[in-house]
Amino acid sequence: MTDVAILYFSGYGHTVKQAEALEVGASSIQGTKVDVLRIDENGDLPDVGWDKLKDAKAIVFGSPTYMGGPAWQLKRVADASSKPWFSQEWKNKIAGGFTTSITTNGDKASTISYFVTLAMQHSMVWAGTAVMPANAKANGPDDAGWTGGMTGALAIAPSDASPEEGAAKGDMETARLYGARIAEMAMKLN
Amino acid sequence: MTDVAILYFSGYGHTVKQAEALEVGASSIQGTKVDVLRIDENGDLPDVGWDKLKDAKAIVFGSPTYMGGPAWQLKRVADASSKPWFSQEWKNKIAGGFTTSITTNGDKASTISYFVTLAMQHSMVWAGTAVMPANAKANGPDDAGWTGGMTGALAIAPSDASPEEGAAKGDMETARLYGARIAEMAMKLN
Amino acid sequence: MTDVAILYFSGYGHTVKQAEALEVGASSIQGTKVDVLRIDENGDLPDVGWDKLKDAKAIVFGSPTYMGGPAWQLKRVADASSKPWFSQEWKNKIAGGFTTSITTNGDKASTISYFVTLAMQHSMVWAGTAVMPANAKANGPDDAGWTGGMTGALAIAPSDASPEEGAAKGDMETARLYGARIAEMAMKLN
Amino acid sequence: MTDVAILYFSGYGHTVKQAEALEVGASSIQGTKVDVLRIDENGDLPDVGWDKLKDAKAIVFGSPTYMGGPAWQLKRVADASSKPWFSQEWKNKIAGGFTTSITTNGDKASTISYFVTLAMQHSMVWAGTAVMPANAKANGPDDAGWTGGMTGALAIAPSDASPEEGAAKGDMETARLYGARIAEMAMKLN
C-alpha cells in the first residue's frame, strides 16, 4: 500500500536530490509508506508504477525545468495518464510538485504551473510547500525558503555543479518539509 | 461561524450569478454555513469581512476576467491580504476560484491561475471543480462542464447579454457542483 | 530559403487542419515561402527540419493540448532545441503558437503560455493573433475570434468529431488570419 | 513624440530603480525619446499619460510583485486600458515587462505572464530581455542574467533592503540591456 508516490524524472541527477529530500520528509510522518517512481530516459513507467499511483493517497510530480517546462519524459507519462484520467482514478488524491533548474529563477514557475493544471484535470487537491520565504538580506541558499515560490518546491543547481554541489542546503530542507506536509495532508484528506 | 466564504467582485452582475450558484451548492451540504462577501467598486472589504475570512474553512475567490486577469478591485483585496499572509492565518483552508468573461475562452485561465498563486502564498489547499468536460458534438452551453477548465469554475456571458441572459445553464450547474465540492472538502480537511 | 516555419505535432489530425489554415494565410503574403514541419509520433524532427528552423524568419509552434499542455512529442523537440538555444540561433525571429483541444476552454491557454516561455528563452519576438473576439450573442463557431484568446490561435474539435467535422469555420479563419499576420511581421522585423 | 513609454507602479521605491535602469538603456539608443509614466498610489494615470501611451512605439509595463501578481494600482490602469483596447490603439507596438519582488523567485513569473496576456489583448508584439542566464557557480547578483527569466526583466530586493541596497548590480544591468533592446525593436518594427 502506497501512501505518498513521488513520480519524477531526472536527467543529470540534480532532481534526484530533491526527490530524496522529499522522501525523507514524507517518511518522517509516522505510518507513511513512500514509493519513489523514477521515469526512465524514454519516458516510460512500468505497469507496477501505474498500479502504485492508483493506490497512492498523494502523488508528487517532479522534473527538471528544461527549455521552460517539464522534461518531455515527464510529459510523456502525463500524456499516458489520460487513461486514469478518463475514469478519474486519481480523484481527491493530494498533489504536489517540485523542480530543479540551473538558473536562479529560470522558468521553474512554468513547470510547477503545469503540474497544477495536470493535477486539476485529475481532480486532485493541490498542496503547496507552506514554507515561508527567507528573504531578508541575511538569508542565503542555506535557508529553507530562500529560493522561494510556495506553490511547489524549487531548487537551483548551477550549470557546472555536480548533483552533490548543486543541492543547496536550503532547497533540500524545503523539499524535506514539503514531503512531510504532503504526507500529513494525505492522511487528513483520506 | 463561517464554513465557506465566497469572496468576489462583480462589475455588471454576471459574476453575481456564478456566486449565487456556488452559494446554492455549498449550502446544500448539510451543516455548512456560507458567507458571501462582495467586494465593492472601490476594492474595499469591511472589517467584518476580514473576520469572516479568518474564520472560514474554505475561501472561494471570484472575479470577472478584465483585460486578461482579475478585476483590480479583487486584486486590491488580494494585496491587502498580505496582513493575514504574514501570520499565515489562512493556512490549510480549502481554496477555489471562479470567473466569468465575455469571450468563449478569453483569458479566464489567467484569472484562475492567479487565484491558485494567491492561495499558495497563503498555504491554502486548492480544489478544482472535478466536473468532467462535456465535449462531444451533442454537448452545448446547457451542459455542466461544456465551458470546461477543471482548475476553477468558468462561465461565458456574451458582451450584449444581461446577467440573466448570460448565465448559461451548464455554467451555473458547474458552479453549483463546485460549491458542493468545496463545502465537502472543507469538512474533510478540518 | 524559409520565411515562415510551422513546427507542429498532431495526434489524430485535428491540429493538421489548423496548420493548413495557417499555411494558407502565411502563403497569401506575397513573396513568403512557408515550410510545414510535422513532428512524428516519436517526437523526432529530421536534420533538414532543424536547418529550416535556423533559416526561418518566423517559427509558429503548434500542438494539441493533451492533459493540460503540449503533446510530449512537441516537448521533445523543444527540449532538443537547447542546442540552437545555446548559440541563440533563433534570436529575433517572430514566434507564434496554436493549439486544438476537445473541450471549449480546456487548458489551451496552458499550451500557448508554454510556447511563449519557449520563444522567450530563444529571444524570439512573440506576435499574437490580433483577431478581436466575436463575443456577442449572435456570434458562434462560424465566426473568426469566437473561440477567443489572442495570444495564439485556438481551436475546438469535439471529442467525437473527425478532423473535417472538428474544424470550425471560425477557428480556421482565425488561423488563416494569424498565418498572414506572422508572415507580415516576419518581413517587417527582418 | 514618445518612442518608448515605461508605464509602472512602485510602492516603496525598489521598482523605481529598475525603471531608471530601463530608461538609461532605452535612451542610449540614438534618437529614442523615453517617457516614464509612474502610476500613483490610487492607480490613476493622468490624461497626458494616456496620450503618450497612444503615441509610443513601445510600452514597457512594470510593477512590484505583490501577493503573486502586479500591484492593484497597475491592474487598475490595465483595466482602464479597455478603452484603447476597444479601438486597438496599441496594435503592433512593442511590449515588454519588468518586476521586482522581495523573494528570490517569489511569483515574479506570474506578474510577467500577466503583462504578456495584457499585451496580447492589445495586439502588441512582445520582446523579452534576450539576456542569457548567468548560472555557473562563479556567478552571483552582480552579473546580468543571474536572476534569470528571459520573458521580462526580474529583480530581487530583500525585504529589509532600502531601494539603494536592493538594487543588485546584475538586475540593474539586465534592465539597462532590456531598455536598449526594446528601443531597438521599436525602431525596427515601426
Side-chain angles (χ1 to χ4, degrees):
Chain A
M1 180 69 196
T2 302
D3 296 302
V4 175
I6 299 173
L7 174 67
Y8 81 107
F9 174 77
S10 176
Y12 301 96
H14 300 83
T15 310
V16 172
K17 293 290 169 192
Q18 241 184 336
E20 288 173 350
L22 261 151
E23 186 185 6
V24 168
S27 302
S28 74
I29 303 302
Q30 207 177 352
T32 298
K33 182 169 178 319
V34 183
D35 269 298
V36 180
L37 307 169
R38 184 170 174 179
I39 298 163
D40 72 17
E41 283 297 319
N42 300 313
D44 282 321
L45 183 69
D47 283 352
V48 63
W50 290 102
D51 291 343
K52 284 181 175 171
L53 292 174
K54 187 178 176 176
D55 281 350
K57 293 176 182 165
I59 302 174
V60 194
F61 304 99
S63 173
T65 296
Y66 285 165
M67 297 309 298
W72 69 265
Q73 289 92 342
L74 185 295
K75 189 57 176 51
R76 192 175 178 200
V77 170
D79 287 4
S81 79
S82 61
K83 212 176 153 191
W85 172 83
F86 196 76
S87 44
Q88 292 281 287
E89 275 180 14
W90 297 357
K91 188 173 174 178
N92 292 353
K93 294 182 196 299
I94 289 288
F98 61 101
T99 192
T100 298
S101 81
I102 55 178
T103 305
T104 307
N105 262 273
D107 290 304
K108 291 186 240 291
S110 167
T111 298
I112 298 293
S113 177
Y114 172 67
F115 290 151
V116 172
T117 300
L118 175 65
M120 289 304 118
Q121 290 214 358
H122 283 291
S123 300
M124 300 171 81
V125 178
W126 186 273
T129 64
V131 175
M132 291 291 278
N135 51 27
K137 284 184 284 180
N139 293 119
D142 280 357
D143 299 310
W146 181 74
T147 298
M150 300 173 73
T151 307
L154 310 181
I156 304 164
S159 56
D160 52 353
S162 68
E164 286 70 27
E165 286 174 315
K169 200 177 151 192
D171 289 342
M172 294 305 108
E173 178 64 3
T174 298
R176 194 189 62 76
L177 291 166
Y178 191 28
R181 175 170 167 81
I182 292 284
E184 285 172 334
M185 282 287 158
M187 282 201 174
K188 267 198 195 175
L189 199 62
N190 284 279
Chain B
M1 180 67 197
T2 301
D3 295 302
V4 175
I6 299 173
L7 174 67
Y8 82 108
F9 174 76
S10 176
Y12 301 96
H14 300 83
T15 310
V16 172
K17 294 290 170 191
Q18 239 184 337
E20 288 173 349
L22 262 151
E23 186 185 6
V24 167
S27 302
S28 73
I29 302 303
Q30 207 175 354
T32 298
K33 183 169 178 317
V34 184
D35 269 299
V36 180
L37 307 169
R38 184 170 173 178
I39 299 163
D40 72 16
E41 284 296 320
N42 299 315
D44 282 322
L45 183 69
D47 283 352
V48 63
W50 290 102
D51 292 343
K52 285 181 175 172
L53 293 174
K54 187 178 177 176
D55 282 348
K57 293 176 181 167
I59 302 174
V60 194
F61 303 99
S63 171
T65 296
Y66 285 166
M67 297 310 297
W72 69 265
Q73 289 92 343
L74 186 293
K75 189 57 175 52
R76 193 175 178 200
V77 170
D79 287 4
S81 79
S82 61
K83 212 178 153 188
W85 172 84
F86 196 76
S87 45
Q88 292 281 287
E89 276 180 14
W90 298 357
K91 187 173 176 178
N92 292 352
K93 293 182 196 300
I94 290 286
F98 61 101
T99 191
T100 298
S101 81
I102 55 178
T103 304
T104 306
N105 262 274
D107 290 304
K108 290 186 240 292
S110 165
T111 299
I112 298 294
S113 177
Y114 171 68
F115 290 151
V116 172
T117 301
L118 175 65
M120 289 305 119
Q121 291 214 358
H122 283 290
S123 300
M124 300 171 81
V125 178
W126 186 274
T129 64
V131 175
M132 291 291 278
N135 52 26
K137 285 184 284 180
N139 292 121
D142 279 357
D143 299 311
W146 181 74
T147 299
M150 299 174 75
T151 307
L154 311 181
I156 305 164
S159 57
D160 52 354
S162 69
E164 286 71 26
E165 287 174 314
K169 201 176 149 190
D171 289 343
M172 294 306 108
E173 179 64 3
T174 298
R176 194 189 63 76
L177 291 165
Y178 192 27
R181 176 170 166 81
I182 291 284
E184 284 172 335
M185 282 287 159
M187 282 201 175
K188 267 198 195 174
L189 200 62
N190 285 278
Chain C
M1 180 65 197
T2 301
D3 295 303
V4 175
I6 299 173
L7 174 67
Y8 82 108
F9 174 76
S10 177
Y12 302 95
H14 300 84
T15 311
V16 172
K17 294 290 169 191
Q18 240 184 336
E20 288 173 350
L22 261 151
E23 186 185 6
V24 168
S27 302
S28 74
I29 302 303
Q30 208 178 351
T32 298
K33 182 169 177 317
V34 184
D35 269 297
V36 180
L37 306 169
R38 185 171 174 177
I39 299 163
D40 72 17
E41 283 296 320
N42 300 314
D44 281 322
L45 184 70
D47 283 353
V48 63
W50 290 102
D51 292 343
K52 284 181 175 172
L53 292 174
K54 186 177 177 176
D55 282 349
K57 292 176 181 166
I59 302 175
V60 193
F61 304 99
S63 172
T65 296
Y66 286 166
M67 296 309 299
W72 69 263
Q73 289 92 343
L74 187 292
K75 188 58 175 50
R76 192 175 178 199
V77 170
D79 287 4
S81 79
S82 61
K83 211 177 153 188
W85 172 83
F86 196 77
S87 45
Q88 291 281 289
E89 277 180 13
W90 298 358
K91 188 174 174 177
N92 292 351
K93 294 182 196 298
I94 290 287
F98 62 101
T99 192
T100 298
S101 80
I102 55 177
T103 304
T104 306
N105 261 274
D107 289 306
K108 291 186 240 292
S110 166
T111 299
I112 298 294
S113 176
Y114 172 68
F115 290 151
V116 172
T117 301
L118 175 65
M120 289 305 119
Q121 290 213 0
H122 283 290
S123 301
M124 300 170 81
V125 179
W126 187 274
T129 64
V131 175
M132 290 290 276
N135 52 25
K137 284 184 285 180
N139 293 121
D142 280 357
D143 299 311
W146 182 74
T147 299
M150 300 174 73
T151 307
L154 310 181
I156 305 164
S159 55
D160 52 354
S162 69
E164 286 69 27
E165 286 175 314
K169 201 176 149 191
D171 289 342
M172 294 306 109
E173 179 63 4
T174 298
R176 194 189 63 76
L177 291 166
Y178 191 28
R181 176 169 166 82
I182 291 283
E184 284 172 335
M185 282 287 158
M187 282 202 175
K188 266 197 193 175
L189 199 63
N190 285 277
Chain D
M1 181 66 198
T2 303
D3 295 302
V4 175
I6 299 173
L7 174 67
Y8 82 108
F9 174 76
S10 177
Y12 301 96
H14 300 84
T15 310
V16 172
K17 293 291 168 191
Q18 241 184 335
E20 288 173 351
L22 261 151
E23 185 185 6
V24 168
S27 301
S28 74
I29 303 302
Q30 207 176 354
T32 297
K33 184 172 176 317
V34 184
D35 269 298
V36 180
L37 306 169
R38 184 172 174 177
I39 298 163
D40 72 17
E41 284 296 319
N42 300 314
D44 282 322
L45 184 70
D47 283 353
V48 64
W50 290 102
D51 292 343
K52 285 182 175 171
L53 292 174
K54 187 178 176 175
D55 281 350
K57 293 175 182 168
I59 302 174
V60 194
F61 304 99
S63 172
T65 296
Y66 286 165
M67 297 309 299
W72 69 264
Q73 289 91 342
L74 186 293
K75 188 58 175 54
R76 193 176 178 198
V77 170
D79 287 3
S81 79
S82 61
K83 213 177 150 187
W85 173 83
F86 196 77
S87 45
Q88 291 281 288
E89 276 180 13
W90 298 357
K91 187 174 174 176
N92 292 351
K93 293 182 196 300
I94 289 286
F98 61 102
T99 191
T100 298
S101 80
I102 55 178
T103 305
T104 307
N105 263 273
D107 290 304
K108 290 185 240 291
S110 167
T111 299
I112 297 294
S113 176
Y114 172 68
F115 290 151
V116 172
T117 300
L118 175 66
M120 289 305 120
Q121 290 214 359
H122 283 290
S123 300
M124 300 171 81
V125 178
W126 186 274
T129 64
V131 175
M132 290 292 276
N135 51 26
K137 285 183 284 180
N139 293 121
D142 280 357
D143 299 311
W146 182 75
T147 299
M150 300 173 74
T151 308
L154 310 181
I156 304 164
S159 55
D160 52 353
S162 69
E164 286 68 28
E165 287 174 314
K169 201 177 150 190
D171 289 341
M172 294 305 109
E173 179 63 4
T174 297
R176 194 190 63 76
L177 291 166
Y178 192 27
R181 175 168 167 81
I182 292 284
E184 285 172 334
M185 283 286 159
M187 282 201 174
K188 267 197 193 174
L189 199 63
N190 286 277

